[in-house]
Structures are given as structure tokens and as C-alpha cells.
Amino acid sequence: MTDRPYLPCTEIIGFLADYLDGELPPDRRSEFDRHLAVCPSCVAYLESYKETIRMAKGSELPVEEVPEELIKAILAATR
Amino acid sequence: MNGLFVSRSIADNFVNIGRKTPAMNMTTQSDTLNAFETLVRTHTPVLLRVARRFMHSEEDARDALQDAYVSAFRSIDSFAANAQLSTWLHRIVINACLMKLRTQRRHPEEDIEKYLPRFLEDGHQAEPSVAWSESAETALQRTELCGLVRSCIAQLPDTYRIVLLLRDIEELSTDEVAQMLGVTPNAVKIRLHRGRQALRTLLDPHMRNVS
């Protein structure tokens, strides 16, 4: 048992990217894990943050056929 | 593009690509022109998609793409024989978009603070976060949600949107993005984190109430 204070949520959310990238020193990382073990709100934030990154990556426009006038304009501009 | 002075014919420059890309095996000027047109037709669909991602309008995306082709073929001598042509062109399109965005940057840019989480004095979240009811993988199977994500990204202030596009979608490294934008790697990290947080805030009402 320990009675040392938990890191505040503001600290967890502020350094979430470093936490996910594995860039925190081990002792700090374990403090993050200790906070996450007791804070469902930060866990929800962390999970939705990860989903946000996946959604950004996965929201690509489809590759579409290029209008012929654009091809002609490019060829004209470059010849 | 109007009034742009091109010192050498772009098609002439393209001969250099033919020399550096043995598979093209070009022998006559006609071969060169045909191969050049084939190259434009082959690469433009993907490159237009890149330009559309960065620019705010279709017209600007097309202009940036044309600028990129002109710039690419003017600097064809810098194309390394061992490089992938598609990668090289891709990078030039991104640079053309960034240059165009710089010239039309809105002043003042919208403040991102309103999209960032708020905290109480004791450090707790002011509004507790709620788990999303659907994974990104499932959500993205719905066309309208893909469109929603893209429109939420488009709402981000450019300072953050551009970093998010370069890091999370183009998958460039922090150092590469820092170099492209002329900022420190730490600034890239901060902008990326804030951009992701803002995007999360914009998606949150849609993702926590999926029926």
C-alpha cells in the first residue's frame, strides 16, 4: 500500500501522446498506469484518443478518376 | 499557373527521368511525350487525393497539383535514380500544398482552446470522458462517418490540421514534419497532440451516441 498522491488527470491527458509513444521514463510510466487503474474517465479518454488516430488514418477519400480537363491542364502547363 | 515562366520544356526535362528509369526505355521525342503523359495519367489520381486532403477547395487542390508537376519537372535533376518516383512526386505535392496554404492562411486563425479538455482546479476532468460505443474499424465501414471524420479534420485550425495530416495520415516522422514546417520537433509534438485532442472533441458526440 502507498499513500503517495496520484498524478492529476490534467497531467495524464497532457502527456498522453508521450505515454502512447513509449517516450515516458519507466518511473513516470508506472505513475500513469497507477492513475489509469483508478480513473475510468482517463481510461475512456485514452481509448477514444487512440480511436481518433485510427479514424483519422482510416477516413481517406477514395482514389477517384481524374477529370480529363485536369490532365489536359497539367500537360499544357508542363509542356 | 498563369504567367509562370518555365525555363526549359518540362517534357525535355522528363527525358532525364527516362535516362534514370531504364524501364521507360525512351528512344524518340514522341516516346518521351507519350511516356510523360502516361506518367501524369498514372500518378494524378493518387496525387489529387493528397492535394484534396490538404487544400480547402477543389480549385486550390487542382492548382496545387499543377504547381507540383511544374515544380517537379523543373527540378528533375534532383530526382535520385534510386528513389521511388511516386514517393518523390508525393512529397513535392505536399510541399506545393503547404506553400499555397501559407499564402492564404487565415488571420487570425481560430483558437483551438475551445476544443481542448477542461479541468477543475484539483486537476480532474471538468466533464468526465465517456467510452465510445463503437470502434474506429466498425465506424469507418459507414460512408457517412468517413465523411464526418474528414469534415471534422477540415474544421481544425490549419496549424494543427496540417501537422495531424502529415503525422497521422501521411505518416511522416516528427523530424521530417519539423523540417518541412520550419519548426522544432517539440512544436510538432505539441501541435499533433492538440490536433488529435480537438478532433476527438469534435467526434465525441457522434461516437458516444451511436445507435
Side-chain angles (χ1 to χ4, degrees):
Chain A
M1 286 294 288
T2 172
D3 56 1
R4 72 181 187 280
Y6 288 96
L7 290 176
C9 299
T10 175
E11 189 96 354
I12 302 299
I13 289 175
F15 291 89
L16 212 49
D18 292 332
Y19 175 77
L20 290 175
D21 290 343
E23 290 183 356
L24 293 178
D27 55 339
R28 191 147 175 84
R29 186 174 181 84
S30 66
E31 286 302 313
F32 264 60
D33 290 334
R34 201 163 77 88
H35 177 108
L36 291 170
V38 297
C39 182
S41 183
C42 280
V43 170
Y45 194 93
L46 170 72
E47 290 305 320
S48 57
Y49 183 93
K50 290 198 285 191
E51 293 299 326
T52 298
I53 299 168
R54 289 191 196 110
M55 290 182 85
K57 275 190 212 299
S59 66
E60 275 280 48
L61 282 165
V63 174
E64 291 171 358
E65 204 172 318
V66 176
E68 187 58 26
E69 81 254 21
L70 177 59
I71 297 285
K72 289 200 168 115
I74 292 167
L75 293 174
T78 52
R79 273 180 182 162
Chain B
M1 297 297 296
N2 290 342
L4 183 66
F5 175 70
V6 182
S7 58
R8 270 202 281 178
S9 156
I10 299 301
D12 287 346
N13 278 341
F14 180 63
V15 172
N16 289 325
I17 297 187
R19 290 191 189 122
K20 290 175 175 178
T21 314
M24 289 186 180
N25 193 25
M26 294 178 299
T27 53
T28 67
Q29 191 185 8
S30 166
D31 284 346
T32 302
L33 293 174
N34 287 339
F36 174 63
E37 183 168 342
T38 302
L39 177 142
V40 170
R41 289 188 182 281
T42 304
H43 291 277
T44 299
V46 170
L47 296 177
L48 179 59
R49 181 174 71 167
V50 174
R52 282 175 172 157
R53 202 184 291 149
F54 280 87
M55 304 311 296
H56 292 289
S57 74
E58 178 69 16
E59 190 186 354
D60 285 346
R62 292 183 183 198
D63 279 355
L65 188 57
Q66 282 192 39
D67 289 349
Y69 270 113
V70 171
S71 161
F73 292 107
R74 286 169 96 179
S75 59
I76 199 72
D77 292 339
S78 68
F79 174 64
N82 58 352
Q84 275 278 340
L85 184 59
S86 57
T87 309
W88 185 72
L89 287 171
H90 191 122
R91 195 59 73 92
I92 289 173
V93 169
I94 292 175
N95 276 324
C97 291
L98 295 180
M99 206 174 296
K100 201 166 186 61
L101 284 168
R102 249 176 242 134
T103 63
Q104 56 186 208
R105 189 155 283 189
R106 299 164 197 164
H107 292 289
E109 196 173 77
E110 195 186 359
D111 190 358
I112 200 166
E113 288 296 328
K114 66 179 178 187
Y115 299 125
L116 300 183
R118 291 183 298 112
F119 297 94
L120 303 173
E121 278 186 15
D122 65 3
H124 284 92
Q125 295 183 56
E127 294 145 30
S129 300
V130 175
W132 286 359
S133 54
E134 199 175 22
S135 71
E137 195 182 12
T138 313
L140 289 169
Q141 286 170 4
R142 292 184 290 127
T143 314
E144 80 277 8
L145 206 72
C146 280
L148 175 79
V149 177
R150 287 196 296 271
S151 78
C152 289
I153 292 173
Q155 282 180 57
L156 302 176
D158 271 359
T159 300
Y160 305 91
R161 184 181 69 90
I162 288 166
V163 171
L164 187 130
L165 292 176
L166 293 171
R167 285 284 288 114
D168 283 347
I169 298 181
E170 300 297 338
E171 299 186 328
L172 301 182
S173 71
T174 300
D175 287 346
E176 284 173 313
V177 175
Q179 199 175 1
M180 264 183 161
L181 300 178
V183 299
T184 63
N186 199 42
V188 171
K189 287 182 177 185
I190 291 168
R191 289 180 193 183
L192 176 63
H193 184 47
R194 290 183 165 204
R196 286 169 173 172
Q197 286 184 299
L199 180 58
R200 184 209 159 276
T201 300
L202 290 166
L203 293 174
D204 189 50
H206 305 278
M207 293 302 291
R208 61 162 75 183
N209 290 323
V210 179
S211 53

